[in-house]
Amino acid sequence: MFARLGAIVFIAVAVTATAVEMTRHEDAPIYRSVDRPGDEAADPLRAELIRCAGIGEAGPRDPSCLRAWAENRRRFLAPGSRPAERLPDAPQSPHPTATAVPLQPEEVR
């Protein structure tokens, strides 16, 4: 008797939760889109790369995407694409490097 009553209560709760979820409206997203309007006009390659990333598995077979990726690699690897000045050297550690000390075997009892 109690098992049947529990099953009925469970089903009633599940139906109520489903009805509430179906009537709920979507809230506005709390984040902004990274893409700004007008970016496509500024750099059409960027727009094409975004499109190629969005088409998923079909991207490597799309000739337009292959051309866009080749152009992106050319721009990235071009001789003048990297800064002319050297990166600063890493700061020296304030602590001297620890020397390794061999461990002594424990005495046998």
Side-chain angles (χ1 to χ4, degrees):
M1 177 69 177
F2 289 118
R4 288 182 184 170
L5 182 61
I8 291 171
V9 169
F10 176 77
I11 291 172
V13 169
V15 168
T16 304
T18 302
V20 167
E21 187 65 30
M22 290 178 68
T23 59
R24 194 159 92 180
H25 297 288
E26 278 295 316
D27 296 334
I30 58 173
Y31 55 86
R32 284 187 324 135
S33 174
V34 176
D35 295 333
R36 286 173 256 132
D39 279 349
E40 291 80 18
D43 189 9
L45 177 64
R46 183 173 186 275
E48 182 66 15
L49 291 172
I50 291 170
R51 184 191 72 81
C52 292
I55 63 175
E57 203 172 301
R61 292 186 299 273
D62 185 8
S64 177
C65 290
L66 294 174
R67 282 192 300 275
W69 287 326
E71 174 64 18
N72 191 43
R73 280 191 304 273
R74 187 192 64 74
R75 284 187 187 183
F76 181 76
L77 298 174
S81 66
R82 296 204 175 114
E85 70 275 357
R86 258 188 77 180
L87 294 175
D89 292 333
Q92 295 295 327
S93 174
H95 303 290
T97 306
T99 57
V101 177
L103 298 175
Q104 299 295 326
E106 294 181 9
E107 291 182 18
V108 179
R109 292 185 181 175

